Amino acid sequence: MRQLEVISLVLFIAVVLAVLLGRKGSKKSRSTKEQPRTPRENVIPFDAGSAKPIVDRRILEGSAFVIDGDTLVIRKTQIRLFGIDAAELNHPYGKNAKWALTSLCKGETIRAELIEQDVHGRTVAKCSLRDGRDLSAEMVKLGLALDWAKFSGGKYRSLETPDARKKLWLADARQKGRMAVWEQFDAKQAARNAK
């Protein structure tokens, strides 16, 4: 069993290195026929440790481009929804979460109250629809996001569906600091994709 974990880890590292090296080389040889990069390729992960409060609480309003179940872009500002955690796109229910958030935002003017910003420029905001509904709360009610008590103070926990933590087990593992679960999942995904 231990040997299988080591092999999985080595495969995962090899795939990550191949992707990183491939991206560096592809920038120079990119042909004009290729499609432009999507905003998702340029996303920098949110780092809670380096996040800091924004001094002037700014309000940003506009239409939203949805990246995933807890990230969107308004007026060229990438925003992480306050207090929740949705599945990543390549995780179970990740695409469902993205399309649910897309459906909520479609044709709407989203109001974002900017709260924090990390060193990479990723902004955390409380986002709401024109009718006042909180986007974070709506995603949790749909069972496609979890309350992240570390950041929300438990604000959305009572809105979670009974099966949410079981369904979004990878997000739950991240919140509990069990990143080995993520690494194993990602290694299995990489091994499947390499075939």
Side-chain angles (χ1 to χ4, degrees):
M1 187 68 164
R2 182 73 179 148
Q3 187 177 17
L4 181 60
E5 291 174 2
V6 171
I7 292 170
S8 295
L9 182 60
V10 169
L11 281 173
F12 175 73
I13 291 170
V15 169
V16 169
L17 287 174
V19 168
L20 290 175
L21 293 174
R23 280 191 181 171
K24 286 181 182 177
S26 68
K27 287 182 182 178
K28 293 177 183 174
S29 63
R30 179 177 282 221
S31 75
T32 56
K33 293 181 184 178
E34 284 187 51
Q35 295 295 321
R37 288 180 166 237
T38 61
R40 181 68 182 152
E41 291 174 315
N42 297 323
V43 173
I44 298 170
F46 176 72
D47 180 14
S50 64
K52 59 184 183 233
I54 294 175
V55 178
D56 60 332
R57 289 228 174 190
R58 296 183 310 151
I59 304 295
L60 192 61
E61 289 185 342
S63 59
F65 175 82
V66 175
I67 303 290
D68 60 24
D70 55 21
T71 309
L72 43 86
V73 176
I74 300 174
R75 294 189 179 186
K76 298 182 181 180
T77 301
Q78 184 181 348
I79 296 172
R80 166 74 185 231
L81 294 180
F82 166 78
I84 66 168
D85 190 19
E88 300 301 317
L89 286 175
N90 65 329
H91 291 175
Y93 297 96
K95 290 180 182 170
N96 296 27
K98 175 185 178 168
W99 293 115
L101 185 57
T102 300
S103 178
L104 285 167
C105 294
K106 186 175 183 177
E108 291 279 342
T109 298
I110 307 301
R111 182 180 191 274
E113 179 186 344
L114 309 182
I115 299 172
E116 294 178 319
Q117 190 169 25
D118 69 8
V119 295
H120 303 292
R122 177 106 174 234
T123 301
V124 178
K126 291 181 181 179
C127 296
S128 58
L129 301 167
R130 280 185 293 226
D131 63 9
R133 287 182 294 156
D134 180 344
L135 279 179
S136 294
E138 293 302 310
M139 290 300 292
V140 172
K141 285 183 205 175
L142 290 170
L144 294 169
L146 301 175
D147 172 63
W148 200 332
K150 177 180 177 181
F151 302 107
S152 73
K155 178 178 181 175
Y156 304 110
R157 184 64 187 238
S158 65
L159 303 175
E160 285 184 10
T161 60
D163 64 339
R165 294 215 170 249
K166 186 175 182 179
K167 188 167 71 172
L168 303 174
W169 56 277
L170 282 166
D172 186 53
R174 172 174 43 193
Q175 289 183 15
K176 293 175 179 170
R178 296 185 353 238
M179 293 309 293
V181 174
W182 269 54
E183 292 164 1
Q184 288 172 355
F185 181 86
D186 287 342
K188 286 179 185 176
Q189 289 264 337
R192 278 189 210 128
N193 293 337
K195 288 183 182 180

